Amino acid sequence: MRILYVVGTRPNLVKTAPVIGALRARLPDGSHTIVHTGQHYDRLMSEVFFEELGMPEPDHMLEVGSGTHAVQTARTMERLEPLLVDQEPDLVVVPGDVNSTLAAALTATKLGIPIAHVESGLRSFDRSMPEEVNRIVADEFSDLLFLHSDEAIENLRAEGIGDERMHFVGNTMIDTLVALESRFRELDVASRLGVEAGAFALVTLHRPALVDGPLLGETISALASLAAEMPVVFPVHPRTRKMMEAAGAREADGLILSEPLGYLEFLSLMAEAGAVITDSGGIQEETTYLGIPCFTLRDNTERPVTIRAGTNTLLGLDPSAIATIPAALAGRDAERREPPPLWDGKAAERLADVVAARA
Ligand code: UD1
């Protein structure tokens, strides 16, 4: 069996590394080709992840880089198509919901190549989010839909997708976290930054709705106010960094700004944080697994399982809600609950069983 994996962004690498490992072990005589679209290209957004995740180097780099959605998607399709024609894979594996996912799904489907979508069936029901459009298209055209939360089943049925295409295998991003746990637990990045475990807030922001307009300045001010009560550590995504520079936002007292961190360092900080403030999807899940309170600066989430688990709170797309965090933490029920079903470090093995059955 010839399998081709298409990755493009930081979270794609985290979700795909265990899948490649499990499928290479299950199908050692198959061919396993990794294509990196280059949607993320900074060393700190990409290379570092290959090193830490123990993932093989990509066989092909498409170097599409940044651009508008149409440009990024079109460039990926143009550069991927000849590769797929040449390699004739039996299966193209695409993770997540980024523009690389959309482009790969469209290109493969037009060539009649079966697609496996990892992290299928998530829906925010907000089509103004680029990721929602990308997910809907990837699911519609995939043959194997790998689900990581049970709510995905109803979401997909509502779009007319048959149960025979769905496989509830669990969360491959959590596989990576579980595999790295002993390594990140010993790093203690918090003390290196001079903050006390359990007593600081960790922040990540990168979504256009929050960082591309006036809300960014308001969010930085709200974080600076929070920093008067608890130190705030903020590794800044390149998109956010550019917007902060353009808006003239400055470092405020108590805000510890850094470059994007490697994954092990970031997990170490997340596991030791008193609270996490984010607009990311994956971080809502990782905090749920780790039992860390997460406050999500969005109006909706495609991951309601993290709300039901009791770790995640939707603050809304409203920077002023950051001021409510200290009181919420003080009144919080600290009881640690079980992670959602099949978030157990073995999702990629179950996925590999399904794929191997087709070989
Ligand atoms: C993308 C995904 C988002 C995902 C996020 C994870 C889409 C539509 N969005 O958002 O779903 O949560 O990745 O990080 O696919 N840039 C750099 N260096 C890089 C990458 C980006 O400087 O290595 C800058 C560029 O200015 C670029 C901007 O960041 O224009 C945005 O990058 P882009 O890939 O368009 O989207 P992300 O915001 O990273």
Side-chain angles (χ1 to χ4, degrees):
M1 193 175 195
R2 293 182 304 274
I3 306 180
L4 187 140
Y5 309 83
V6 182
V7 292
T9 64
R10 187 165 64 166
N12 280 179
L13 303 178
V14 178
K15 290 165 196 170
T16 312
V19 173
I20 297 174
L23 279 167
R24 277 162 61 114
R26 197 65 51 94
L27 300 168
D29 299 329
S31 85
H32 300 267
T33 305
I34 303 173
V35 179
H36 192 326
T37 66
Q39 177 171 346
H40 284 172
Y41 44 86
D42 285 357
R43 183 178 147 70
L44 289 174
M45 297 295 283
S46 185
E47 267 172 67
V48 146
F49 281 72
F50 279 89
E51 291 160 18
E52 292 185 343
L53 300 174
M55 192 163 154
E57 290 288 309
D59 301 284
H60 303 275
M61 302 286 286
L62 304 185
E63 295 180 355
V64 301
S66 302
T68 64
H69 288 261
V71 166
Q72 209 169 44
T73 309
R75 263 192 218 145
T76 309
M77 291 181 72
E78 248 176 15
R79 295 178 193 183
L80 184 61
E81 186 183 51
L83 245 175
L84 294 182
V85 169
D86 180 53
Q87 307 258 323
E88 298 182 336
D90 300 304
L91 187 68
V92 171
V93 177
V94 297
D97 55 16
V98 300
N99 287 343
S100 302
T101 315
L102 168 73
L106 282 175
T107 312
T109 204
K110 295 248 176 182
L111 292 170
I113 302 168
I115 303 164
H117 184 207
V118 179
E119 193 190 82
S120 171
L122 299 185
R123 295 290 182 270
S124 65
F125 303 102
D126 173 3
R127 293 192 175 192
S128 70
M129 281 178 71
E131 294 82 3
E132 183 78 350
V133 177
N134 297 346
R135 290 180 197 117
I136 292 170
V137 175
D139 284 338
E140 172 67 25
F141 293 119
S142 289
D143 304 80
L144 294 173
L145 284 75
F146 291 114
L147 281 47
H148 80 321
S149 60
D150 45 12
E151 59 229 4
I153 299 169
E154 286 312 315
N155 293 343
L156 293 169
R157 282 184 185 153
E159 290 174 17
I161 291 173
D163 286 18
E164 69 287 352
R165 286 160 62 197
M166 300 181 205
H167 303 274
F168 180 22
V169 294
N171 193 330
T172 65
M173 185 173 235
I174 300 301
D175 286 7
T176 296
L177 190 158
V178 169
L180 298 177
E181 190 150 12
S182 59
R183 284 168 67 196
F184 74 73
R185 290 275 180 201
E186 65 187 24
L187 285 184
D188 198 10
V189 176
S191 59
R192 210 172 73 208
L193 292 176
V195 293
E196 188 190 329
F200 68 94
L202 175 66
V203 177
T204 79
L205 307 170
H206 74 282
R207 279 190 200 279
L210 196 62
V211 307
D212 285 6
L215 288 179
L216 179 60
E218 292 173 35
T219 307
I220 303 294
S221 304
L223 291 173
S225 303
L226 178 67
E229 301 195 41
M230 63 198 298
V232 175
V233 178
F234 183 7
V236 186
H237 184 289
R239 175 186 202 106
T240 312
R241 171 80 65 186
K242 273 180 198 164
M243 293 298 162
M244 282 170 74
E245 281 163 10
R250 284 182 299 117
E251 298 199 16
D253 283 345
L255 276 190
I256 302 167
L257 302 185
S258 80
E259 295 294 307
L261 296 173
Y263 197 48
L264 289 167
E265 289 179 307
F266 187 73
L267 288 174
S268 163
L269 273 178
M270 188 164 23
E272 298 202 315
V276 172
I277 304 168
T278 191
D279 60 357
S280 151
I283 291 169
Q284 295 172 55
E285 297 184 353
E286 289 159 343
T287 48
T288 290
Y289 181 82
L290 293 167
I292 303 292
C294 178
F295 297 88
T296 300
L297 279 166
R298 287 176 44 189
D299 287 330
N300 51 53
T301 178
E302 62 288 333
R303 292 161 159 96
V305 68
T306 61
I307 311 258
R308 288 203 306 276
T311 48
N312 188 16
T313 306
L314 275 188
L315 288 182
L317 192 54
D318 175 11
S320 71
I322 290 171
T324 65
I325 290 175
L329 287 174
R332 186 171 176 267
D333 159 18
E335 188 194 335
R336 175 83 196 265
R337 300 182 209 177
E338 287 293 303
L342 306 190
W343 292 24
D344 60 357
K346 299 190 169 66
E349 284 175 30
R350 287 184 286 266
L351 183 156
D353 288 340
V354 175
V355 174
R358 286 168 59 110

